[in-house]
Amino acid sequence: MKSRFRLLAVLIGAAALLTPLMGAASAQAAQARVAPATWTHTPNCVIKPAPSQFVETGLGASASSVAFILQVECKPVFGEQKVEINAQQLNNACHGTLSWYSPTGSDGTAPGEGTGESFNVYLDNDGNATAVVWGGPSCAASYDLVTADLTVAPYTTVTTHVKILPPVTTTTSLHVYPYAEVEDATTSSVDAIFYAEYPSVYAEGEVEFSDAQLYDRCTGGITWVGPDEVVLGTGKSVTTTLDDNGNAFVVALAGPSCASGSTLAQVDLVNPTYRTLTTNFSVLSPRVTV
């Protein structure tokens, strides 16, 4: 009988020793199931296109034309440095017709223009810069790589893509690309694409684009530019012609000295039915975005 009690005591003691070991093993297993902490890295720069895809637009000599706003955003430590934007594939798709504009040029002293597959922009003190690129006529439907290269150490390269879509009749609407834009800290300017889509029954009819609030907010007013970087006029509004699908676009170069706030963008059929389309565009005050 005593030997049985001794055996029972030994077993109880062994169980007592195993309990903390099993608990430790369970805790280790639970820790192993917990996902490791994720580590994120903020890039030195980013490049954002607006829009990311564009339906070719235009009539006659400007048929199959496109435009994009390219926003370069870098860390403010790179303020007042140059970034080279390269759009070789886009230039090839548009048969070597690319032209460029930036409100701060390549040195921050005056607006700049250029042609070809690449263009330099100048970062403001928040690390931001904007370029407008036009392509056409005769751009081809394509998916094109665009790069931005910081021209000082560490020579960061970032990429994005833009897509050209063939002409097509689209849903009736007015778009502004981008819908909101941070004005540059150097000239307080903004650039935006106004893109109108009407039913194709109105093809080759006249339309009037306008944004009176944007005009009033910007001391320098608005210069309206059509396909192929052709200046259509200045002021609160401008008139142009719908293509055979009922689409048309203009680029608004607004500034300098714009005040932040929301504006009402508008397009009107000049002839019956005089249909009006509206949307909103916002000017944002200078700020760090990366």
Side-chain angles (χ1 to χ4, degrees), residues 162-263:
V162 294
K163 189 174 185 179
I164 300 176
L165 301 176
V168 64
T169 301
T170 52
T171 303
T172 302
S173 57
L174 172 65
H175 300 278
V176 177
Y177 303 110
Y179 66 89
E181 184 174 355
V182 175
E183 60 187 61
D184 71 80
T186 304
T187 68
S188 297
S189 298
V190 291
D191 308 309
I193 299 170
F194 288 48
Y195 194 103
E197 301 168 312
Y198 278 97
S200 58
V201 68
Y202 298 110
E204 302 189 27
E206 285 192 320
V207 289
E208 183 178 12
F209 288 93
S210 62
D211 193 327
Q213 288 178 305
L214 181 61
Y215 177 86
D216 291 337
R217 286 183 181 278
C218 298
T219 300
I222 304 174
T223 298
W224 300 93
V225 184
D228 310 333
E229 203 176 349
V230 175
V231 176
L232 301 177
T234 59
K236 294 184 178 182
S237 66
V238 70
T239 301
T240 190
T241 305
L242 298 171
D243 68 10
D244 289 330
N245 292 106
N247 301 330
F249 78 90
V250 294
V251 180
L253 308 179
S257 300
C258 294
S260 62
S262 179
T263 73

Side-chain angles (χ1 to χ4, degrees), residues 78 150-156:
F78 299 112
L150 193 61
T151 61
V152 296
Y155 308 106
T156 299

Side-chain angles (χ1 to χ4, degrees), residues 33-87:
R33 288 193 296 269
V34 176
T38 57
W39 179 76
T40 58
H41 170 66
T42 302
N44 289 323
C45 299
V46 296
I47 180 170
K48 301 175 181 177
S52 60
Q53 59 183 28
F54 195 103
V55 175
E56 299 172 10
T57 305
L59 279 172
S62 63
S64 297
S65 293
V66 299
F68 297 93
I69 305 288
L70 299 174
Q71 298 170 294
V72 179
E73 303 172 356
C74 297
K75 292 179 179 178
V77 69
F78 299 112
E80 300 187 13
Q81 300 296 333
K82 292 181 182 180
V83 172
E84 181 182 11
I85 302 174
N86 188 284

